[in-house]
Amino acid sequence: MRTCAAALLLALLLGLGGCGDRAPAGGGAEAKQLHIYNWADYIAKDTLAQFEARTGIKVVYDTYDADETLEAKLMAGDSGYDVVSTSSDFFGRQIKAGIYRPLDKSLLSNWHNLDPHILQLEAQADPGNRYAMPYLRHVNGFAYNTAKIRARMPDAPVDSLDMIFKPEVLRHFADCGVTFLDSAEDVLQLALNYLHLDPNSTRAEDYGQAAQLLLAVRPYVRAFDSSEYMNGLATGDFCISMSWSADYAASRARARAAGIDVPLAFTVPREGSNFAFDALLIPADAPHPLAAHQFLNYILEPRVIAAITNEIHYANDNAASEPYVNPAILHDPAVYPPPAVEARLYVSTEASPTLERLRTRTWTRIKTGL
């Protein structure tokens, strides 16, 4: 298997296009294998088994815990993956770097099921929707235990980012457990927006202000975490967690399934928040591109993607799936924001390497409290 760089050099010598512009091989046999790289818990438990049973394609499924991890692996080449998932603010620059293969829409007969509105939004990062197939989406905000909040502060501003960014408010809840996402992008964008600054700012001075805001509440934050907090909310160990909307919904479902009565609620802040989109893409050097297209077309089936949403509570981008989505999920404004809520959301834009370094330095300062 050649790396993208090696393939590009060969293509240039032969007068062909770069590896990012190759179409899927239409002929020739390829091994009935598929290697997927995705977030943990970002698919239903039986999705892969059902795909294997239908197609005879053996799936190897690896997980990662940060978009940066996936990016580093793909940029190095020879990842061995056929399908990967990442967010729009990452895949935009990755597409420009030529590390993905254009989708062959002739192999995606279910493409028409996708929501045209989401396609339009994702086209900002992927013009013409050539490389990225919309998958799942979520909103950033905070989840909270209504009983514990009322007991400590009856007039708590539960509709506002004042809950997590005002020291005089957050200090009331330090004893019952406060967590922030371990995500520089999500936390810093919320802080910038709260300060009436551009959440996609590239100005070092803006990040300095965001750092000061977050350092002021840092003493009341028990943990920075993007996965375990779901269980903490479900068991009552945490009373406020900055959270992705679907994780809150999953926490509530876990508590109910365990017979635990935990009164959880979720706020999409009135000040606004980020709307994040994840897509499935095929690396340019994918060893099994035909199997990759089979998998993407399978995910595009309304019942298949609805089953994923019903299990993990993330909104999907498939309009045809709505009749099969659990009505309690479909009509939860935290998971599927209505137009009035969506109007106050913003989309993360592509971050340059310079901005990533700035965010990383700022985030390290905040987490260490220095």
Side-chain angles (χ1 to χ4, degrees):
M1 179 171 54
R2 297 192 303 267
T3 65
C4 179
L8 177 58
L9 176 59
L10 179 60
L12 291 173
L13 291 173
L14 295 176
L16 302 174
C19 62
D21 294 323
R22 292 179 294 163
E30 64 179 38
K32 294 180 78 72
Q33 298 178 16
L34 185 69
H35 294 258
I36 300 174
Y37 201 34
N38 196 3
W39 290 95
D41 301 317
Y42 212 41
I43 199 165
K45 288 183 176 64
D46 60 354
T47 305
L48 301 180
Q50 291 186 7
F51 175 74
E52 289 178 329
R54 181 188 297 188
T55 64
I57 295 172
K58 175 64 178 176
V59 178
V60 177
Y61 187 85
D62 295 333
T63 62
Y64 61 89
D65 59 1
D67 281 301
E68 291 84 358
T69 303
L70 176 142
E71 182 171 75
K73 185 166 289 192
L74 291 183
M75 293 297 281
D78 260 348
S79 71
Y81 291 112
D82 300 300
V83 175
V84 301
S85 168
T86 193
S87 56
S88 56
D89 50 321
F90 278 82
F91 68 64
R93 69 189 185 202
Q94 293 164 358
I95 287 171
K96 293 175 184 175
I99 65 173
Y100 293 120
R101 157 191 306 271
L103 299 174
D104 185 342
K105 302 288 180 61
S106 71
L107 301 177
L108 301 175
S109 58
N110 294 318
W111 184 269
H112 65 278
N113 291 327
L114 289 166
D115 186 335
H117 175 57
I118 302 301
L119 284 169
Q120 184 179 24
L121 290 173
E122 291 202 16
Q124 298 174 36
D126 175 24
N129 303 111
R130 295 185 62 215
Y131 296 87
M133 188 193 86
Y135 181 46
L136 301 172
R137 65 184 188 270
H138 60 274
V139 179
N140 190 15
F142 59 87
Y144 60 98
N145 184 308
T146 58
K148 291 188 176 184
I149 298 308
R150 280 198 304 267
R152 288 160 176 79
M153 191 178 187
D155 60 345
V158 294
D159 66 337
S160 169
L161 287 172
D162 288 345
M163 279 288 290
I164 57 175
F165 288 150
K166 274 195 171 182
E168 60 269 33
V169 173
L170 196 62
R171 66 179 177 82
H172 289 278
F173 313 113
D175 71 300
C176 60
V178 175
T179 70
F180 279 13
L181 290 170
D182 190 5
S183 169
E185 178 184 359
D186 288 289
V187 180
L188 288 170
Q189 284 194 332
L190 270 187
L192 289 166
N193 191 61
Y194 180 70
L195 292 169
H196 305 290
L197 299 170
D198 179 3
N200 290 300
S201 174
T202 60
R203 293 159 40 98
E205 52 268 41
D206 291 348
Y207 285 88
Q209 291 187 54
Q212 290 303 315
L213 174 72
L214 291 163
L215 285 169
V217 297
R218 176 67 180 84
Y220 311 117
V221 178
R222 183 180 299 179
F224 291 90
D225 168 69
S226 297
S227 57
E228 292 304 317
Y229 77 91
M230 295 172 63
N231 290 327
L233 285 171
T235 59
D237 290 338
F238 300 143
C239 62
I240 301 179
S241 289
M242 185 185 295
S243 169
W244 294 308
S245 53
D247 285 354
Y248 137 78
S251 294
R252 188 176 59 177
R254 288 181 185 181
R256 289 174 177 171
I260 302 172
D261 184 17
V262 180
L264 294 177
F266 183 85
T267 291
V268 178
R270 66 173 185 240
E271 296 90 348
S273 183
N274 55 310
F275 205 8
F277 302 90
D278 287 322
L280 299 177
L281 303 98
I282 303 176
D285 55 2
H288 311 106
L290 293 177
H293 280 81
Q294 278 186 267
F295 181 74
L296 264 58
N297 202 48
Y298 170 72
I299 294 296
L300 285 169
E301 293 183 16
R303 291 181 184 271
V304 171
I305 191 64
I308 294 173
T309 292
N310 289 339
E311 183 164 324
I312 68 172
H313 294 258
Y314 274 77
N316 71 67
D317 301 325
N318 189 312
S321 75
E322 291 189 3
Y324 310 108
V325 174
N326 182 334
I329 298 174
L330 184 64
H331 300 299
D332 186 338
V335 181
Y336 282 88
V341 174
E342 187 175 334
R344 62 178 188 261
L345 303 178
Y346 52 84
V347 178
S348 300
T349 59
E350 180 182 328
S352 68
T354 300
L355 177 55
E356 285 292 347
R357 288 192 294 271
L358 175 59
R359 283 178 176 169
T360 299
R361 288 197 303 270
T362 306
W363 189 233
T364 300
R365 179 186 173 199
I366 292 162
K367 288 182 66 177
T368 59
L370 302 177

